[in-house]
Amino acid sequence: MDFLKELGIREENFGASTGLKWFTTTDNGIINVISPADGKQIAKVYQCSENDYEIVASQSYEAFKYWRKVPAPKRGDVVRQLGNKLRLYKDPLGRLVSYEMGKSLQEGLGEVQEMIDICDFAVGLSRQLYGSTMVSERENHRMYDQYHPLGVVGIITAFNFPVAVWAWNSALATVCGDSNLWKPSSKTPLCAIAVQNILADVIKENNLPEGLFSLIIGKGSTVGEKMLNDKRVPLISLTGSTAIGKHAAEVISKRFGKTILELGGNNAVIITPNADLKLAIPAVVFGAVGTAGQRCTTTRRLIVHEEIYERVKTSLVKAYSSITIGNPLDEKNNVGPLIDKSAVEEFNQALRRVIEEGGKIIFGGEVLSGNGFESGCYVKPAIVEAENHFKIVQEETFAPILYLIKYNGEVQNAIDIQNDVVQGLSSSIFTNNIREAETFLSPWGSDCGIANINIGTSGAEIGGAFGGEKETGGGRESGSDSWKQYMRRQTNTINFGTKLPLAQGIKFEI
């Protein structure tokens, strides 16, 4: 395929790089990258060794010591150039994301656009790394806080957003004066290699140090654990399951490192009797089936008032019947495959469990086979009538299953159902009633990090901070003031007088 050649993807690729230099380890295992779109092998990747990791991490630390001295606006200019390179490679990189991961081509291109957008955001940010000035209680004293570069930022990404989440972190970290050490998912390593190849031009053109943008592709049990335990990496941003996040948090906290955790989501949309269903139904369908249900912000629960329940159910089934499923590179298709056959089995297991608990499948749920579905990774998105207390509903199944749940009475009852899960990422309510909307956004409303009115749970813009509460991890990435996590805060007090008064009026004479 032409886009593979354009991105520098070969039949055999190496798994560690410090920017321009690639390490040639070939005896630490091979990843055979299979496309879920057609079941064909795309390429091979040689996994890096623990020794490779040591060299790469050391180089990343040395790069940080250089980069922290570069003025932030100049750091921002490098990110500007990266954004421009991504514009040039948007089409081939978007196609690779679609082919390697399985999301629709429109979503693949949209993911690369997220990378471009966060670069633009970071360029402006490079001139706005503000601190605050505080009033001192002491005469002739001035107090202020400022932010300094933190160090090497470890970025561990998941398969479902194989390039955008790296960009969210690396664009901000780079303008903040940090170096970047990236461990991508072993399910989508080619996207990471492609990005590293795109970066190479920026590195050459600016004579940047090796290690500013580094990549390690390897086993979580080896190089992944080394990163978690590495004191040279003061911050690790991890996107993954709640179980993986808990383990990482325990390991990193023992060495007093910092974390940004983007973990599980069990996102709900509430539809009240005051909703505009012309807005709600399309939003729910995209939120539930986009990326084949493999977004952390996927709509997994739909909480509908009993007055309009049957009407919503009928509309949903009709909308789902019009979904086109197939090869994600074909723009006529709305939904592509799941990432692999193990994801298909999780889909099947979840449906079996919900039936055992008393749920009812009212649409979909089949594994598709035959012409065009030879990979065995395609499923028909399912709608299931269920209750929120079912154990399977309380969990996050990374697949296109939408649980339809009924509520009655006031909107607070629906909010209580929504909040009654351990995850707290994204949430949404559809209503034209201002009291219901404001209740949803109040302190006793949604307990999620993202709360939307009359839009769905997925498709967040980069300008807002992204992340959630409870077992979602509590981290924030992308916009707003998320940049502060990539820097260390320092409070400064300056005495420009001739006396030495102490705070709180303490007297000390010698």
Side-chain angles (χ1 to χ4, degrees), residues 4-34:
L4 296 175
K5 294 179 180 178
E6 194 171 350
L7 295 168
I9 303 299
R10 303 180 176 90
E11 289 185 12
E12 295 182 348
N13 304 271
F14 297 111
S17 171
T18 53
L20 301 178
K21 179 183 177 182
W22 287 88
F23 293 72
T24 57
T25 298
T26 59
D27 60 355
N28 207 53
I30 296 175
I31 300 172
N32 293 307
V33 185
I34 308 297

PDB file of all heavy atoms in Angstrom, residues 4-34:
ATOM      1  N   LEU A   4       1.926   3.119   3.282  1.00  0.00           N
ATOM      2  CA  LEU A   4       2.975   2.504   4.101  1.00  0.00           C
ATOM      3  C   LEU A   4       4.354   2.979   3.640  1.00  0.00           C
ATOM      4  O   LEU A   4       5.209   3.333   4.462  1.00  0.00           O
ATOM      5  CB  LEU A   4       2.881   0.985   4.021  1.00  0.00           C
ATOM      6  CG  LEU A   4       1.606   0.345   4.581  1.00  0.00           C
ATOM      7  CD1 LEU A   4       1.616  -1.156   4.328  1.00  0.00           C
ATOM      8  CD2 LEU A   4       1.471   0.633   6.073  1.00  0.00           C
ATOM      9  N   LYS A   5       4.575   2.987   2.342  1.00  0.00           N
ATOM     10  CA  LYS A   5       5.861   3.443   1.807  1.00  0.00           C
ATOM     11  C   LYS A   5       6.076   4.919   2.126  1.00  0.00           C
ATOM     12  O   LYS A   5       7.176   5.332   2.484  1.00  0.00           O
ATOM     13  CB  LYS A   5       5.908   3.216   0.301  1.00  0.00           C
ATOM     14  CG  LYS A   5       5.889   1.755  -0.114  1.00  0.00           C
ATOM     15  CD  LYS A   5       5.916   1.609  -1.630  1.00  0.00           C
ATOM     16  CE  LYS A   5       5.885   0.143  -2.046  1.00  0.00           C
ATOM     17  NZ  LYS A   5       5.867  -0.007  -3.530  1.00  0.00           N
ATOM     18  N   GLU A   6       5.028   5.713   1.984  1.00  0.00           N
ATOM     19  CA  GLU A   6       5.143   7.153   2.226  1.00  0.00           C
ATOM     20  C   GLU A   6       5.529   7.445   3.671  1.00  0.00           C
ATOM     21  O   GLU A   6       6.218   8.425   3.955  1.00  0.00           O
ATOM     22  CB  GLU A   6       3.809   7.831   1.885  1.00  0.00           C
ATOM     23  CG  GLU A   6       3.890   9.324   1.774  1.00  0.00           C
ATOM     24  CD  GLU A   6       2.622   9.947   1.233  1.00  0.00           C
ATOM     25  OE1 GLU A   6       1.740   9.193   0.756  1.00  0.00           O
ATOM     26  OE2 GLU A   6       2.502  11.190   1.297  1.00  0.00           O
ATOM     27  N   LEU A   7       5.111   6.577   4.578  1.00  0.00           N
ATOM     28  CA  LEU A   7       5.402   6.758   6.009  1.00  0.00           C
ATOM     29  C   LEU A   7       6.671   6.036   6.453  1.00  0.00           C
ATOM     30  O   LEU A   7       7.007   6.059   7.640  1.00  0.00           O
ATOM     31  CB  LEU A   7       4.217   6.262   6.838  1.00  0.00           C
ATOM     32  CG  LEU A   7       2.918   7.054   6.656  1.00  0.00           C
ATOM     33  CD1 LEU A   7       1.746   6.307   7.291  1.00  0.00           C
ATOM     34  CD2 LEU A   7       3.044   8.454   7.245  1.00  0.00           C
ATOM     35  N   GLY A   8       7.361   5.402   5.516  1.00  0.00           N
ATOM     36  CA  GLY A   8       8.612   4.728   5.856  1.00  0.00           C
ATOM     37  C   GLY A   8       8.435   3.401   6.561  1.00  0.00           C
ATOM     38  O   GLY A   8       9.363   2.931   7.232  1.00  0.00           O
ATOM     39  N   ILE A   9       7.273   2.764   6.416  1.00  0.00           N
ATOM     40  CA  ILE A   9       7.032   1.469   7.035  1.00  0.00           C
ATOM     41  C   ILE A   9       7.575   0.379   6.109  1.00  0.00           C
ATOM     42  O   ILE A   9       7.183   0.284   4.944  1.00  0.00           O
ATOM     43  CB  ILE A   9       5.535   1.236   7.299  1.00  0.00           C
ATOM     44  CG1 ILE A   9       4.968   2.360   8.184  1.00  0.00           C
ATOM     45  CG2 ILE A   9       5.305  -0.127   7.945  1.00  0.00           C
ATOM     46  CD1 ILE A   9       5.600   2.474   9.550  1.00  0.00           C
ATOM     47  N   ARG A  10       8.481  -0.439   6.642  1.00  0.00           N
ATOM     48  CA  ARG A  10       9.079  -1.520   5.863  1.00  0.00           C
ATOM     49  C   ARG A  10       8.464  -2.861   6.261  1.00  0.00           C
ATOM     50  O   ARG A  10       7.685  -2.936   7.210  1.00  0.00           O
ATOM     51  CB  ARG A  10      10.592  -1.545   6.095  1.00  0.00           C
ATOM     52  CG  ARG A  10      11.296  -0.242   5.760  1.00  0.00           C
ATOM     53  CD  ARG A  10      12.803  -0.375   6.014  1.00  0.00           C
ATOM     54  NE  ARG A  10      13.534   0.824   5.620  1.00  0.00           N
ATOM     55  CZ  ARG A  10      13.774   1.839   6.417  1.00  0.00           C
ATOM     56  NH1 ARG A  10      13.353   1.808   7.680  1.00  0.00           N
ATOM     57  NH2 ARG A  10      14.451   2.890   5.986  1.00  0.00           N
ATOM     58  N   GLU A  11       8.853  -3.893   5.575  1.00  0.00           N
ATOM     59  CA  GLU A  11       8.370  -5.226   5.948  1.00  0.00           C
ATOM     60  C   GLU A  11       8.882  -5.609   7.331  1.00  0.00           C
ATOM     61  O   GLU A  11       8.186  -6.280   8.096  1.00  0.00           O
ATOM     62  CB  GLU A  11       8.826  -6.256   4.911  1.00  0.00           C
ATOM     63  CG  GLU A  11       8.120  -6.135   3.578  1.00  0.00           C
ATOM     64  CD  GLU A  11       8.514  -7.250   2.624  1.00  0.00           C
ATOM     65  OE1 GLU A  11       9.157  -8.223   3.086  1.00  0.00           O
ATOM     66  OE2 GLU A  11       8.177  -7.163   1.428  1.00  0.00           O
ATOM     67  N   GLU A  12      10.101  -5.192   7.656  1.00  0.00           N
ATOM     68  CA  GLU A  12      10.681  -5.431   8.982  1.00  0.00           C
ATOM     69  C   GLU A  12      11.116  -4.090   9.562  1.00  0.00           C
ATOM     70  O   GLU A  12      11.813  -3.316   8.906  1.00  0.00           O
ATOM     71  CB  GLU A  12      11.867  -6.387   8.889  1.00  0.00           C
ATOM     72  CG  GLU A  12      11.471  -7.788   8.424  1.00  0.00           C
ATOM     73  CD  GLU A  12      12.654  -8.741   8.393  1.00  0.00           C
ATOM     74  OE1 GLU A  12      13.803  -8.267   8.509  1.00  0.00           O
ATOM     75  OE2 GLU A  12      12.426  -9.948   8.243  1.00  0.00           O
ATOM     76  N   ASN A  13      10.703  -3.829  10.794  1.00  0.00           N
ATOM     77  CA  ASN A  13      10.972  -2.544  11.441  1.00  0.00           C
ATOM     78  C   ASN A  13      11.570  -2.780  12.828  1.00  0.00           C
ATOM     79  O   ASN A  13      11.313  -3.817  13.457  1.00  0.00           O
ATOM     80  CB  ASN A  13       9.671  -1.754  11.583  1.00  0.00           C
ATOM     81  CG  ASN A  13       8.967  -1.548  10.262  1.00  0.00           C
ATOM     82  OD1 ASN A  13       9.204  -0.588   9.552  1.00  0.00           O
ATOM     83  ND2 ASN A  13       8.072  -2.474   9.912  1.00  0.00           N
ATOM     84  N   PHE A  14      12.343  -1.814  13.286  1.00  0.00           N
ATOM     85  CA  PHE A  14      12.956  -1.918  14.605  1.00  0.00           C
ATOM     86  C   PHE A  14      12.123  -1.175  15.652  1.00  0.00           C
ATOM     87  O   PHE A  14      11.334  -0.290  15.324  1.00  0.00           O
ATOM     88  CB  PHE A  14      14.385  -1.372  14.568  1.00  0.00           C
ATOM     89  CG  PHE A  14      15.295  -2.158  13.668  1.00  0.00           C
ATOM     90  CD1 PHE A  14      15.768  -1.618  12.484  1.00  0.00           C
ATOM     91  CD2 PHE A  14      15.646  -3.460  13.989  1.00  0.00           C
ATOM     92  CE1 PHE A  14      16.597  -2.346  11.643  1.00  0.00           C
ATOM     93  CE2 PHE A  14      16.465  -4.202  13.160  1.00  0.00           C
ATOM     94  CZ  PHE A  14      16.941  -3.645  11.975  1.00  0.00           C
ATOM     95  N   GLY A  15      12.344  -1.547  16.923  1.00  0.00           N
ATOM     96  CA  GLY A  15      11.454  -1.092  17.980  1.00  0.00           C
ATOM     97  C   GLY A  15      12.005  -0.097  18.960  1.00  0.00           C
ATOM     98  O   GLY A  15      11.397   0.113  20.011  1.00  0.00           O
ATOM     99  N   ALA A  16      13.105   0.548  18.654  1.00  0.00           N
ATOM    100  CA  ALA A  16      13.634   1.561  19.576  1.00  0.00           C
ATOM    101  C   ALA A  16      14.341   2.643  18.781  1.00  0.00           C
ATOM    102  O   ALA A  16      15.083   2.361  17.838  1.00  0.00           O
ATOM    103  CB  ALA A  16      14.592   0.941  20.588  1.00  0.00           C
ATOM    104  N   SER A  17      14.105   3.891  19.166  1.00  0.00           N
ATOM    105  CA  SER A  17      14.718   5.020  18.476  1.00  0.00           C
ATOM    106  C   SER A  17      14.876   6.188  19.438  1.00  0.00           C
ATOM    107  O   SER A  17      14.042   6.399  20.318  1.00  0.00           O
ATOM    108  CB  SER A  17      13.856   5.459  17.292  1.00  0.00           C
ATOM    109  OG  SER A  17      14.308   6.672  16.737  1.00  0.00           O
ATOM    110  N   THR A  18      15.941   6.947  19.235  1.00  0.00           N
ATOM    111  CA  THR A  18      16.145   8.184  19.999  1.00  0.00           C
ATOM    112  C   THR A  18      15.888   9.417  19.136  1.00  0.00           C
ATOM    113  O   THR A  18      16.215  10.524  19.525  1.00  0.00           O
ATOM    114  CB  THR A  18      17.575   8.245  20.565  1.00  0.00           C
ATOM    115  OG1 THR A  18      18.519   8.031  19.494  1.00  0.00           O
ATOM    116  CG2 THR A  18      17.779   7.198  21.635  1.00  0.00           C
ATOM    117  N   GLY A  19      15.309   9.216  17.996  1.00  0.00           N
ATOM    118  CA  GLY A  19      15.006  10.334  17.114  1.00  0.00           C
ATOM    119  C   GLY A  19      15.400  10.019  15.694  1.00  0.00           C
ATOM    120  O   GLY A  19      14.575   9.714  14.839  1.00  0.00           O
ATOM    121  N   LEU A  20      16.710  10.054  15.434  1.00  0.00           N
ATOM    122  CA  LEU A  20      17.243   9.688  14.126  1.00  0.00           C
ATOM    123  C   LEU A  20      17.877   8.303  14.150  1.00  0.00           C
ATOM    124  O   LEU A  20      17.913   7.614  13.138  1.00  0.00           O
ATOM    125  CB  LEU A  20      18.281  10.720  13.669  1.00  0.00           C
ATOM    126  CG  LEU A  20      17.780  12.167  13.535  1.00  0.00           C
ATOM    127  CD1 LEU A  20      18.920  13.086  13.120  1.00  0.00           C
ATOM    128  CD2 LEU A  20      16.632  12.258  12.550  1.00  0.00           C
ATOM    129  N   LYS A  21      18.336   7.910  15.316  1.00  0.00           N
ATOM    130  CA  LYS A  21      19.009   6.626  15.450  1.00  0.00           C
ATOM    131  C   LYS A  21      18.014   5.525  15.812  1.00  0.00           C
ATOM    132  O   LYS A  21      17.216   5.668  16.732  1.00  0.00           O
ATOM    133  CB  LYS A  21      20.093   6.701  16.520  1.00  0.00           C
ATOM    134  CG  LYS A  21      20.827   5.386  16.747  1.00  0.00           C
ATOM    135  CD  LYS A  21      21.852   5.518  17.871  1.00  0.00           C
ATOM    136  CE  LYS A  21      22.533   4.176  18.143  1.00  0.00           C
ATOM    137  NZ  LYS A  21      23.511   4.278  19.262  1.00  0.00           N
ATOM    138  N   TRP A  22      18.080   4.406  15.071  1.00  0.00           N
ATOM    139  CA  TRP A  22      17.268   3.235  15.373  1.00  0.00           C
ATOM    140  C   TRP A  22      18.166   2.112  15.868  1.00  0.00           C
ATOM    141  O   TRP A  22      19.240   1.873  15.314  1.00  0.00           O
ATOM    142  CB  TRP A  22      16.511   2.765  14.125  1.00  0.00           C
ATOM    143  CG  TRP A  22      15.384   3.674  13.751  1.00  0.00           C
ATOM    144  CD1 TRP A  22      15.454   4.777  12.955  1.00  0.00           C
ATOM    145  CD2 TRP A  22      14.032   3.583  14.185  1.00  0.00           C
ATOM    146  NE1 TRP A  22      14.231   5.377  12.862  1.00  0.00           N
ATOM    147  CE2 TRP A  22      13.328   4.662  13.592  1.00  0.00           C
ATOM    148  CE3 TRP A  22      13.329   2.696  15.003  1.00  0.00           C
ATOM    149  CZ2 TRP A  22      11.963   4.885  13.807  1.00  0.00           C
ATOM    150  CZ3 TRP A  22      11.975   2.903  15.203  1.00  0.00           C
ATOM    151  CH2 TRP A  22      11.309   3.984  14.621  1.00  0.00           C
ATOM    152  N   PHE A  23      17.738   1.443  16.935  1.00  0.00           N
ATOM    153  CA  PHE A  23      18.492   0.334  17.494  1.00  0.00           C
ATOM    154  C   PHE A  23      18.124  -0.945  16.745  1.00  0.00           C
ATOM    155  O   PHE A  23      16.964  -1.152  16.400  1.00  0.00           O
ATOM    156  CB  PHE A  23      18.204   0.195  18.984  1.00  0.00           C
ATOM    157  CG  PHE A  23      18.716   1.361  19.791  1.00  0.00           C
ATOM    158  CD1 PHE A  23      18.104   2.611  19.719  1.00  0.00           C
ATOM    159  CD2 PHE A  23      19.819   1.217  20.607  1.00  0.00           C
ATOM    160  CE1 PHE A  23      18.582   3.678  20.453  1.00  0.00           C
ATOM    161  CE2 PHE A  23      20.305   2.282  21.344  1.00  0.00           C
ATOM    162  CZ  PHE A  23      19.691   3.520  21.266  1.00  0.00           C
ATOM    163  N   THR A  24      19.085  -1.785  16.517  1.00  0.00           N
ATOM    164  CA  THR A  24      18.888  -2.918  15.597  1.00  0.00           C
ATOM    165  C   THR A  24      18.758  -4.258  16.311  1.00  0.00           C
ATOM    166  O   THR A  24      19.124  -5.300  15.764  1.00  0.00           O
ATOM    167  CB  THR A  24      20.051  -2.976  14.595  1.00  0.00           C
ATOM    168  OG1 THR A  24      21.293  -3.085  15.310  1.00  0.00           O
ATOM    169  CG2 THR A  24      20.071  -1.734  13.718  1.00  0.00           C
ATOM    170  N   THR A  25      18.218  -4.253  17.521  1.00  0.00           N
ATOM    171  CA  THR A  25      17.979  -5.501  18.237  1.00  0.00           C
ATOM    172  C   THR A  25      16.989  -6.381  17.463  1.00  0.00           C
ATOM    173  O   THR A  25      15.933  -5.910  17.026  1.00  0.00           O
ATOM    174  CB  THR A  25      17.413  -5.224  19.632  1.00  0.00           C
ATOM    175  OG1 THR A  25      18.372  -4.480  20.388  1.00  0.00           O
ATOM    176  CG2 THR A  25      17.074  -6.515  20.368  1.00  0.00           C
ATOM    177  N   THR A  26      17.340  -7.651  17.293  1.00  0.00           N
ATOM    178  CA  THR A  26      16.459  -8.571  16.556  1.00  0.00           C
ATOM    179  C   THR A  26      16.183  -9.865  17.316  1.00  0.00           C
ATOM    180  O   THR A  26      15.508 -10.752  16.793  1.00  0.00           O
ATOM    181  CB  THR A  26      17.077  -8.930  15.187  1.00  0.00           C
ATOM    182  OG1 THR A  26      18.363  -9.536  15.397  1.00  0.00           O
ATOM    183  CG2 THR A  26      17.220  -7.702  14.303  1.00  0.00           C
ATOM    184  N   ASP A  27      16.711  -9.972  18.539  1.00  0.00           N
ATOM    185  CA  ASP A  27      16.604 -11.242  19.264  1.00  0.00           C
ATOM    186  C   ASP A  27      15.726 -11.142  20.512  1.00  0.00           C
ATOM    187  O   ASP A  27      15.848 -11.950  21.426  1.00  0.00           O
ATOM    188  CB  ASP A  27      17.995 -11.752  19.645  1.00  0.00           C
ATOM    189  CG  ASP A  27      18.759 -10.786  20.531  1.00  0.00           C
ATOM    190  OD1 ASP A  27      18.254  -9.666  20.788  1.00  0.00           O
ATOM    191  OD2 ASP A  27      19.878 -11.139  20.972  1.00  0.00           O
ATOM    192  N   ASN A  28      14.832 -10.139  20.558  1.00  0.00           N
ATOM    193  CA  ASN A  28      13.997  -9.967  21.745  1.00  0.00           C
ATOM    194  C   ASN A  28      12.502 -10.155  21.436  1.00  0.00           C
ATOM    195  O   ASN A  28      11.648  -9.648  22.130  1.00  0.00           O
ATOM    196  CB  ASN A  28      14.234  -8.580  22.359  1.00  0.00           C
ATOM    197  CG  ASN A  28      13.950  -8.550  23.841  1.00  0.00           C
ATOM    198  OD1 ASN A  28      14.482  -9.364  24.592  1.00  0.00           O
ATOM    199  ND2 ASN A  28      13.111  -7.634  24.270  1.00  0.00           N
ATOM    200  N   GLY A  29      12.235 -10.884  20.389  1.00  0.00           N
ATOM    201  CA  GLY A  29      10.850 -11.149  20.019  1.00  0.00           C
ATOM    202  C   GLY A  29      10.375 -10.271  18.881  1.00  0.00           C
ATOM    203  O   GLY A  29      10.857  -9.160  18.679  1.00  0.00           O
ATOM    204  N   ILE A  30       9.409 -10.788  18.122  1.00  0.00           N
ATOM    205  CA  ILE A  30       8.862 -10.090  16.962  1.00  0.00           C
ATOM    206  C   ILE A  30       7.364  -9.896  17.140  1.00  0.00           C
ATOM    207  O   ILE A  30       6.656 -10.787  17.600  1.00  0.00           O
ATOM    208  CB  ILE A  30       9.118 -10.886  15.665  1.00  0.00           C
ATOM    209  CG1 ILE A  30      10.616 -10.994  15.380  1.00  0.00           C
ATOM    210  CG2 ILE A  30       8.411 -10.245  14.474  1.00  0.00           C
ATOM    211  CD1 ILE A  30      10.930 -11.865  14.177  1.00  0.00           C
ATOM    212  N   ILE A  31       6.876  -8.702  16.780  1.00  0.00           N
ATOM    213  CA  ILE A  31       5.442  -8.449  16.715  1.00  0.00           C
ATOM    214  C   ILE A  31       5.019  -8.561  15.250  1.00  0.00           C
ATOM    215  O   ILE A  31       5.519  -7.817  14.393  1.00  0.00           O
ATOM    216  CB  ILE A  31       5.097  -7.043  17.237  1.00  0.00           C
ATOM    217  CG1 ILE A  31       5.539  -6.883  18.696  1.00  0.00           C
ATOM    218  CG2 ILE A  31       3.594  -6.784  17.110  1.00  0.00           C
ATOM    219  CD1 ILE A  31       5.397  -5.458  19.217  1.00  0.00           C
ATOM    220  N   ASN A  32       4.138  -9.495  14.973  1.00  0.00           N
ATOM    221  CA  ASN A  32       3.556  -9.609  13.639  1.00  0.00           C
ATOM    222  C   ASN A  32       2.288  -8.769  13.632  1.00  0.00           C
ATOM    223  O   ASN A  32       1.294  -9.128  14.266  1.00  0.00           O
ATOM    224  CB  ASN A  32       3.245 -11.067  13.303  1.00  0.00           C
ATOM    225  CG  ASN A  32       4.496 -11.912  13.163  1.00  0.00           C
ATOM    226  OD1 ASN A  32       5.410 -11.571  12.407  1.00  0.00           O
ATOM    227  ND2 ASN A  32       4.561 -13.015  13.900  1.00  0.00           N
ATOM    228  N   VAL A  33       2.344  -7.647  12.931  1.00  0.00           N
ATOM    229  CA  VAL A  33       1.225  -6.706  12.962  1.00  0.00           C
ATOM    230  C   VAL A  33       0.187  -7.119  11.920  1.00  0.00           C
ATOM    231  O   VAL A  33       0.454  -7.100  10.720  1.00  0.00           O
ATOM    232  CB  VAL A  33       1.704  -5.271  12.690  1.00  0.00           C
ATOM    233  CG1 VAL A  33       0.542  -4.294  12.849  1.00  0.00           C
ATOM    234  CG2 VAL A  33       2.841  -4.893  13.644  1.00  0.00           C
ATOM    235  N   ILE A  34      -0.994  -7.507  12.402  1.00  0.00           N
ATOM    236  CA  ILE A  34      -2.089  -7.970  11.548  1.00  0.00           C
ATOM    237  C   ILE A  34      -3.182  -6.908  11.518  1.00  0.00           C
ATOM    238  O   ILE A  34      -3.606  -6.411  12.559  1.00  0.00           O
ATOM    239  CB  ILE A  34      -2.680  -9.295  12.073  1.00  0.00           C
ATOM    240  CG1 ILE A  34      -1.574 -10.340  12.284  1.00  0.00           C
ATOM    241  CG2 ILE A  34      -3.756  -9.813  11.127  1.00  0.00           C
ATOM    242  CD1 ILE A  34      -0.852 -10.747  11.032  1.00  0.00           C
TER     243      ILE A  34
END
